[in-house]
Short mmCIF file of all heavy atoms in Angstrom, two decimals:
data_model
loop_
_atom_site.label_atom_id
_atom_site.label_comp_id
_atom_site.label_asym_id
_atom_site.label_seq_id
_atom_site.Cartn_x
_atom_site.Cartn_y
_atom_site.Cartn_z
N HIS A 754 2.91 3.46 20.46
CA HIS A 754 1.59 3.02 20.17
C HIS A 754 0.99 2.57 21.60
O HIS A 754 1.75 2.02 22.35
CB HIS A 754 1.60 1.80 19.33
CG HIS A 754 0.26 1.34 18.84
ND1 HIS A 754 -0.67 0.77 19.61
CD2 HIS A 754 -0.26 1.41 17.51
CE1 HIS A 754 -1.72 0.35 18.85
NE2 HIS A 754 -1.45 0.78 17.64
N ALA A 758 -5.71 -4.97 21.34
CA ALA A 758 -6.30 -6.27 21.70
C ALA A 758 -7.07 -6.88 20.62
O ALA A 758 -7.69 -6.02 19.82
CB ALA A 758 -7.22 -6.13 22.99
N GLU A 780 -5.14 -1.76 1.02
CA GLU A 780 -5.76 -3.00 0.50
C GLU A 780 -6.83 -3.37 1.57
O GLU A 780 -6.96 -2.88 2.66
CB GLU A 780 -4.75 -4.21 0.46
CG GLU A 780 -3.70 -4.00 -0.57
CD GLU A 780 -2.84 -5.24 -0.66
OE1 GLU A 780 -3.17 -6.27 -0.23
OE2 GLU A 780 -1.69 -5.04 -1.11
N VAL A 781 -7.71 -4.23 1.11
CA VAL A 781 -8.77 -4.84 1.94
C VAL A 781 -8.17 -6.04 2.64
O VAL A 781 -7.51 -6.76 2.00
CB VAL A 781 -10.09 -5.21 1.11
CG1 VAL A 781 -10.95 -5.96 2.00
CG2 VAL A 781 -10.63 -4.03 0.46
N GLU A 784 -9.30 -9.98 8.82
CA GLU A 784 -8.65 -10.04 10.27
C GLU A 784 -9.62 -10.55 11.19
O GLU A 784 -10.85 -10.77 11.04
CB GLU A 784 -8.41 -8.51 10.64
CG GLU A 784 -7.58 -7.72 9.67
CD GLU A 784 -7.45 -6.27 10.06
OE1 GLU A 784 -8.15 -5.88 10.96
OE2 GLU A 784 -6.72 -5.61 9.32
N ILE A 785 -9.09 -10.91 12.49
CA ILE A 785 -9.93 -11.03 13.63
C ILE A 785 -10.28 -9.65 14.15
O ILE A 785 -9.50 -8.74 13.93
CB ILE A 785 -9.22 -11.93 14.63
CG1 ILE A 785 -7.95 -11.42 15.17
CG2 ILE A 785 -9.13 -13.38 14.08
CD1 ILE A 785 -7.27 -12.26 16.16
N ALA A 787 -10.19 -6.48 16.27
CA ALA A 787 -9.05 -5.94 17.04
C ALA A 787 -9.17 -4.45 17.01
O ALA A 787 -9.80 -3.80 16.15
CB ALA A 787 -7.67 -6.41 16.47
N MET A 789 -7.42 -0.54 19.24
CA MET A 789 -6.47 0.07 20.17
C MET A 789 -7.11 0.14 21.55
O MET A 789 -8.33 0.32 21.72
CB MET A 789 -6.12 1.51 19.70
CG MET A 789 -5.28 1.50 18.50
SD MET A 789 -4.88 3.08 17.77
CE MET A 789 -4.83 4.24 19.06
N ASN A 805 -17.65 -6.20 20.15
CA ASN A 805 -18.96 -5.65 20.13
C ASN A 805 -19.08 -4.46 19.17
O ASN A 805 -19.93 -4.58 18.23
CB ASN A 805 -19.37 -5.20 21.50
CG ASN A 805 -20.73 -4.71 21.59
OD1 ASN A 805 -21.33 -4.17 20.59
ND2 ASN A 805 -21.42 -4.98 22.68
N ASP A 813 -18.00 -14.57 26.40
CA ASP A 813 -17.45 -14.50 27.69
C ASP A 813 -17.50 -15.94 28.30
O ASP A 813 -18.43 -16.73 28.07
CB ASP A 813 -18.19 -13.48 28.57
CG ASP A 813 -19.71 -13.77 28.74
OD1 ASP A 813 -20.31 -14.63 28.02
OD2 ASP A 813 -20.37 -13.13 29.61
N PRO A 823 3.93 -7.10 17.40
CA PRO A 823 3.83 -7.43 15.93
C PRO A 823 4.97 -6.78 15.08
O PRO A 823 5.22 -7.46 14.15
CB PRO A 823 2.39 -7.06 15.61
CG PRO A 823 1.96 -6.30 16.68
CD PRO A 823 2.77 -6.38 17.89
N VAL A 834 -3.96 -10.93 22.63
CA VAL A 834 -4.92 -11.74 21.88
C VAL A 834 -5.73 -12.72 22.88
O VAL A 834 -5.10 -13.43 23.66
CB VAL A 834 -4.27 -12.60 20.77
CG1 VAL A 834 -5.28 -13.30 20.06
CG2 VAL A 834 -3.39 -11.72 19.94
N ALA A 840 -19.56 -17.40 20.65
CA ALA A 840 -19.97 -16.07 20.28
C ALA A 840 -21.42 -15.99 19.98
O ALA A 840 -22.14 -16.89 19.52
CB ALA A 840 -19.16 -15.72 19.04
N ALA A 842 -24.78 -12.87 19.48
CA ALA A 842 -25.21 -11.41 19.34
C ALA A 842 -25.31 -10.75 20.62
O ALA A 842 -25.90 -11.27 21.61
CB ALA A 842 -26.55 -11.34 18.52
N ASN A 852 -15.49 6.09 11.45
CA ASN A 852 -14.51 6.15 10.41
C ASN A 852 -13.99 4.69 9.85
O ASN A 852 -13.02 4.59 9.34
CB ASN A 852 -13.24 6.84 10.96
CG ASN A 852 -12.66 6.22 12.12
OD1 ASN A 852 -13.17 5.29 12.73
ND2 ASN A 852 -11.43 6.64 12.49
N GLU A 854 -15.50 1.06 7.88
CA GLU A 854 -16.50 0.28 7.25
C GLU A 854 -16.10 -1.23 7.28
O GLU A 854 -15.14 -1.59 6.67
CB GLU A 854 -16.66 0.67 5.75
CG GLU A 854 -17.74 -0.10 5.06
CD GLU A 854 -17.80 0.33 3.62
OE1 GLU A 854 -17.04 1.13 3.20
OE2 GLU A 854 -18.66 -0.28 2.85
N ILE A 855 -16.82 -1.94 8.15
CA ILE A 855 -16.40 -3.33 8.34
C ILE A 855 -17.44 -4.29 7.94
O ILE A 855 -18.70 -4.02 8.27
CB ILE A 855 -16.05 -3.48 9.96
CG1 ILE A 855 -14.97 -2.63 10.34
CG2 ILE A 855 -15.83 -4.90 10.24
CD1 ILE A 855 -14.60 -2.56 11.76
N MET A 860 -16.21 -18.14 8.94
CA MET A 860 -15.42 -19.00 8.20
C MET A 860 -15.15 -20.30 9.02
O MET A 860 -14.99 -20.20 10.29
CB MET A 860 -14.16 -18.49 7.71
CG MET A 860 -13.20 -19.30 6.84
SD MET A 860 -11.74 -18.54 6.31
CE MET A 860 -12.31 -17.49 5.14
N LYS A 864 -10.36 -24.07 7.82
CA LYS A 864 -10.11 -23.36 6.56
C LYS A 864 -9.30 -22.10 6.78
O LYS A 864 -8.32 -21.79 6.08
CB LYS A 864 -11.43 -23.05 5.74
CG LYS A 864 -11.13 -22.25 4.42
CD LYS A 864 -12.42 -22.09 3.69
CE LYS A 864 -12.03 -21.34 2.40
NZ LYS A 864 -13.37 -20.99 1.74
N ASN A 871 -0.80 -21.56 4.66
CA ASN A 871 -0.34 -21.54 3.26
C ASN A 871 -0.12 -20.16 2.74
O ASN A 871 0.25 -20.06 1.55
CB ASN A 871 -1.38 -22.20 2.35
CG ASN A 871 -1.48 -23.70 2.78
OD1 ASN A 871 -0.51 -24.35 3.10
ND2 ASN A 871 -2.63 -24.27 2.65
N SER A 874 -3.78 -16.04 3.09
CA SER A 874 -4.67 -15.13 3.80
C SER A 874 -4.13 -13.74 3.77
O SER A 874 -2.92 -13.51 3.76
CB SER A 874 -4.81 -15.54 5.29
OG SER A 874 -5.50 -14.55 5.98
N MET A 875 -4.88 -12.66 3.79
CA MET A 875 -4.50 -11.33 3.85
C MET A 875 -4.50 -10.81 5.37
O MET A 875 -4.23 -9.75 5.62
CB MET A 875 -5.58 -10.42 3.16
CG MET A 875 -5.51 -10.65 1.57
SD MET A 875 -3.97 -10.02 0.84
CE MET A 875 -4.20 -8.35 1.09
N MET A 876 -4.70 -11.88 6.19
CA MET A 876 -4.72 -11.52 7.63
C MET A 876 -3.39 -11.01 8.05
O MET A 876 -2.35 -11.61 7.96
CB MET A 876 -5.03 -12.68 8.50
CG MET A 876 -6.39 -13.15 8.35
SD MET A 876 -6.69 -14.58 9.46
CE MET A 876 -8.11 -15.26 8.71
N PRO A 877 -3.33 -9.70 8.62
CA PRO A 877 -1.98 -9.20 9.12
C PRO A 877 -1.78 -9.77 10.52
O PRO A 877 -2.16 -10.78 10.87
CB PRO A 877 -2.23 -7.75 9.12
CG PRO A 877 -3.70 -7.57 9.29
CD PRO A 877 -4.34 -8.77 8.65
#
Side-chain angles (χ1 to χ4, degrees):
H754 194 289
E780 296 183 22
V781 173
E784 307 171 353
I785 59 177
M789 291 177 32
N805 187 323
D813 60 349
V834 183
N852 60 351
E854 180 184 0
I855 295 175
M860 180 182 284
K864 181 178 178 184
N871 293 328
S874 171
M875 292 292 290
M876 293 180 195

